[in-house]
């Protein structure tokens, strides 16, 4: 009860600071890390238990492919954190993947370019998102163009030799993370981007992706908790097929397949960066 009271008082302070009428606020999302409230047409507030929030460099704030928080508030005890961020009332990539919808190559190219541009901005500034999965990539349609926007920076961290994945078995990590718990850096994050683009371009991925974890926890978080070792084993077992599946795909998918094979190289040292990916011939098509 005391914790709930603190949360309610904290929210009242946040609404007052932002000049928001509490009666005009809509709860638009609930997840494991907190709740999201829409406070205007273009803004929302996410509130949750205080993770290790880091200061966002100014150089990231103006990237159109990153929905960077604009303000951060902490409760007096430090238990809760609230972030003011852009509100994107659009579908996420996961909306399409969940329904088995793949997109035409031109639309996929536009989305891929936006996703990789956002990651390039993060990585060039020395940060990794660490929660790179399709539900954290929103799609915004503007003047006939589709823009990919990366959201949810609760897990963002600086790239250091000590940085690790926030969760090794989410279905979007490569062998270096799943089997070895290796350093999580830009090369690790590019594997996640590759799996997401595979699902968007080609549909279900045989060795990674939504079906291995996202679908499981959407059905029942409690069931996952009770059977997590079995779930983690499935992720490991599927990933052992990666090299064979990637080569099969590369041989039949043209430049798009070549790009995916470079993003998904099981050898992290041979995996391309976001900058190299954006220079791939796939993006030079009209």
């Amino acid at each position: 009860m005391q914790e709930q009271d603190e949360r309610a008082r904290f929210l009242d302070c946040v609404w007052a600071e932002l000049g928001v009428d509490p009666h005009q606020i809509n709860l638009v999302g609930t997840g494991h890390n907190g709740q999201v409230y829409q406070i205007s047409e273009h803004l929302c507030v996410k509130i949750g238990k205080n993770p290790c929030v880091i200061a966002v460099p100014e150089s990231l704030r103006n990237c159109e492919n990153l929905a960077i928080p604009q303000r951060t508030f902490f409760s007096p005890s430090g238990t809760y954190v609230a972030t003011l961020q852009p509100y994107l009332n659009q579908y996420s990539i996961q909306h399409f993947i969940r329904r088995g919808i793949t997109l035409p190559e031109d639309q996929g190219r536009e989305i891929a370019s936006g996703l990789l541009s956002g990651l390039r901005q993060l990585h060039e500034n020395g940060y990794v998102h660490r929660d790179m999965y399709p539900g954290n990539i929103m799609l915004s349609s503007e003047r006939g163009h589709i823009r990919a926007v990366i959201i949810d920076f609760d897990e963002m961290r600086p790239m250091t030799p000590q940085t690790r994945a926030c969760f090794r078995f989410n279905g979007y990590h490569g062998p270096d993370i799943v089997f070895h718990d290796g350093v999580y850096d830009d090369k690790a994050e590019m594997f996640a981007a590759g799996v997401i683009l595979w699902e968007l371009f080609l549909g279900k991925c045989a060795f990674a992706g939504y079906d291995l974890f996202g679908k499981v926890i959407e059905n029942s978080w409690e069931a996952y908790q009770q059977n997590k070792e079995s779930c983690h084993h499935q992720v490991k077992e599927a990933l052992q097929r990666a090299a064979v599946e990637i080569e099969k795909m590369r041989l039949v998918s043209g430049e798009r397949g070549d790009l995916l094979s470079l993003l998904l190289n099981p050898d992290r040292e041979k995996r391309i960066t976001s900058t190299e990916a954006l220079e791939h011939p796939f993006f030079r098509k009209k």
Side-chain angles (χ1 to χ4, degrees):
M1 179 64 75
Q2 184 176 356
E3 196 170 278
Q4 290 178 344
D5 289 344
E6 179 186 356
R7 184 182 184 280
R9 289 194 300 271
F10 175 50
L11 273 177
D12 287 341
C13 291
V14 171
W15 306 146
E17 179 70 20
L18 295 174
V20 173
D21 181 353
H23 299 98
Q24 301 299 316
I25 293 168
N26 296 314
L27 177 65
V28 292
T30 300
H32 297 298
N33 293 330
Q35 295 77 42
V36 178
Y37 298 88
Q38 182 185 0
I39 64 171
S40 72
E41 183 180 358
H42 300 296
L43 291 172
C44 64
V45 170
K46 180 177 181 180
I47 180 170
K49 291 290 186 71
N50 182 10
C52 181
V53 175
I54 62 173
V56 177
E58 288 299 320
S59 54
L60 292 178
R61 295 190 182 279
N62 295 321
C63 178
E64 67 174 4
N65 302 109
L66 301 174
I68 295 293
Q70 299 176 4
R71 294 181 65 181
T72 302
F73 306 88
F74 297 94
S75 65
S77 69
T79 301
Y80 294 99
V81 62
T83 53
L84 176 69
Q85 48 197 279
Y87 176 64
L88 300 167
N89 186 21
Q90 302 286 342
Y91 292 125
S92 70
I93 289 181
Q94 186 150 298
H95 170 87
F96 296 95
I97 291 172
R98 186 189 293 125
R99 290 161 176 78
I101 300 171
T102 56
L103 297 182
E105 185 167 301
D106 286 347
Q107 290 184 346
R109 182 181 297 109
E110 200 166 18
I111 293 167
S113 176
L115 169 59
L116 293 168
S117 295
L119 288 175
R120 178 174 62 183
Q121 190 77 0
L122 274 179
H123 297 163
E124 288 182 349
N125 279 273
Y127 291 87
V128 278
H129 185 276
R130 292 203 321 146
D131 197 11
M132 186 53 48
Y133 82 104
N136 278 339
I137 305 162
M138 305 298 289
L139 301 179
S140 175
S141 179
E142 299 175 359
R143 297 185 296 277
H145 294 281
I146 301 175
R147 178 165 58 98
V149 183
I150 300 170
I151 65 170
D152 198 347
F153 293 85
D154 290 353
E155 301 293 344
M156 184 176 78
R157 298 291 185 272
M159 278 190 277
T160 74
Q162 289 73 45
T163 305
R164 293 295 182 270
C166 62
F167 184 64
R168 288 167 60 193
F169 302 102
N170 74 350
Y172 288 89
H173 295 315
D176 42 315
I177 303 300
V178 173
F179 296 131
H180 306 296
D181 195 19
V183 63
Y184 192 88
D185 57 8
D186 54 340
K187 291 291 188 77
E189 201 141 82
M190 296 316 294
F191 192 95
V195 177
I196 293 167
L197 294 179
W198 179 305
E199 293 179 299
L200 189 67
F201 291 155
L202 305 174
K204 182 177 178 179
C205 181
F207 58 88
Y210 170 72
D211 277 7
L212 288 173
F213 183 72
K215 187 175 182 179
V216 174
I217 65 169
E218 280 187 3
N219 288 337
S220 172
W221 175 258
E222 290 73 20
Y224 160 71
Q225 290 283 18
Q226 293 170 9
N227 300 282
K228 63 170 59 178
E229 292 306 319
S230 174
C231 181
H232 297 176
H233 176 73
Q234 289 178 19
V235 171
K236 290 180 177 180
E237 189 176 50
L239 196 56
Q240 290 174 345
R241 301 193 294 270
V244 172
E245 295 293 340
I246 292 166
E247 182 61 15
K248 284 164 52 179
M249 176 277 305
R250 186 185 67 81
L251 292 174
V252 299
S253 298
E255 288 180 342
R256 181 174 61 177
D258 185 65
L259 171 65
L260 291 177
S261 71
L262 294 169
L263 291 169
L264 292 165
N265 196 311
D267 183 347
R268 58 165 283 112
E269 299 305 322
K270 296 178 181 178
R271 209 173 291 154
I272 59 174
T273 65
S274 52
T275 297
E276 292 168 335
L278 286 165
E279 294 170 352
H280 190 275
F282 175 68
F283 293 110
R284 292 202 287 268
K285 289 184 177 180
K286 297 294 185 181

